[in-house]
Amino acid sequence: MSAKAKAKAKAKSNTKQTSNAKKYSILLPTYNEKQNLSIIVQLIVTALEPHNLCFEIVIIDDNSPDGTFEVAKQLQSIFGKQRIVLLKREKKLGLGTAYISGLQKATGDFIIIMDADFSHHPKYIPQFIAKQQSGDYDIVTGSRYIENGGVCGWGFDRKLVSRGANFLAVTALNPGNLSDLTGSFRLYKRKVLNDVIDQVISKGYVFQMEIIVRARAMGYSIAEVPIIFVDRIFGYSKLGTTEILGYLKGLWKLMQAV
């Protein structure tokens, strides 16, 4: 076979592989993430491109006053509209509705949800995908509380609150062998997320927890991958008395609903 024929055959093979490949949509809700967005997008691209994965990044911005959406538009001009998908909402409407809006905009077979503030490192995404493929799991979730998982950058008080909140949730909701209900770095089969999210009634910090608890109750298979959660580098994390009381109220409602 000539070199020209080999090149043609290889191109045909690559086209076939691309057309049969599963597509991954990474949802990035943002609010005042101007300093973080360009770096996290580059980290995602760097983590996924070597694995020849078909993916898009869906940026859902709640009209950030710091100019986050302008950065998002610049990223789209660099990486292209097929790689960077933009959704701008008129105001801050909450994390739960951001996921729902992003899901409607996404075109992937799998949905990956993560934070844009470096708390969730994109290097774990290929591990999530490998884990999902190893057992055809419906959901793969990152866990801080299994072997090789952990938290970096939190003081003792914050760690105590997080551990306490997760322990309370696991004790109250009995999710089986799941160790980290309050985490939010996950991979879903698109159909599964659509099915589960239709049942969710919670908002705020309890939203992600309700998704995983309802998914377990509905019989979907869930696997965990250890992750190191890193406190945000730029900006600040909002966790005060109001958020804690909101979490406890949401947990109580979830106990009654599930």
Side-chain angles (χ1 to χ4, degrees), residues 180-197:
D180 192 346
L181 294 187
T182 55
S184 58
F185 190 6
R186 296 180 187 151
L187 177 152
Y188 299 89
K189 288 182 178 177
R190 184 192 185 94
K191 179 183 181 302
V192 170
L193 184 55
N194 274 324
D195 287 346
V196 176
I197 213 166

Side-chain angles (χ1 to χ4, degrees), residues 115-206:
D115 293 343
D117 61 4
F118 309 124
S119 299
H120 303 145
H121 200 293
K123 69 181 181 182
Y124 294 112
I125 295 177
Q127 296 179 36
F128 281 30
I129 294 171
K131 186 69 174 181
Q132 189 281 322
Q133 293 174 344
S134 71
D136 192 28
Y137 292 105
D138 297 311
I139 302 171
V140 176
T141 183
S143 176
R144 298 161 288 180
Y145 304 129
I146 57 177
E147 186 177 359
N148 296 322
V151 175
C152 180
W154 279 358
F156 176 77
D157 291 349
R158 184 67 187 271
K159 288 182 179 179
L160 184 63
V161 170
S162 178
R163 279 280 190 177
N166 192 69
F167 176 78
L168 186 60
V170 170
T171 302
L173 300 173
N174 190 25
N177 61 347
L178 297 179
S179 65
D180 192 346
L181 294 187
T182 55
S184 58
F185 190 6
R186 296 180 187 151
L187 177 152
Y188 299 89
K189 288 182 178 177
R190 184 192 185 94
K191 179 183 181 302
V192 170
L193 184 55
N194 274 324
D195 287 346
V196 176
I197 213 166
D198 284 341
Q199 308 297 320
V200 173
I201 59 174
S202 300
K203 298 179 180 179
Y205 292 97
V206 185

Side-chain angles (χ1 to χ4, degrees), residues 20 61 63 70 73 92 94 100 129 132 135 145 178 196 208 240:
N20 292 335
D61 186 64
N63 200 18
E70 295 304 314
K73 288 193 292 185
K92 193 172 184 181
I100 294 171
I129 294 171
Q132 189 281 322
Y145 304 129
L178 297 179
V196 176
Q208 285 276 28

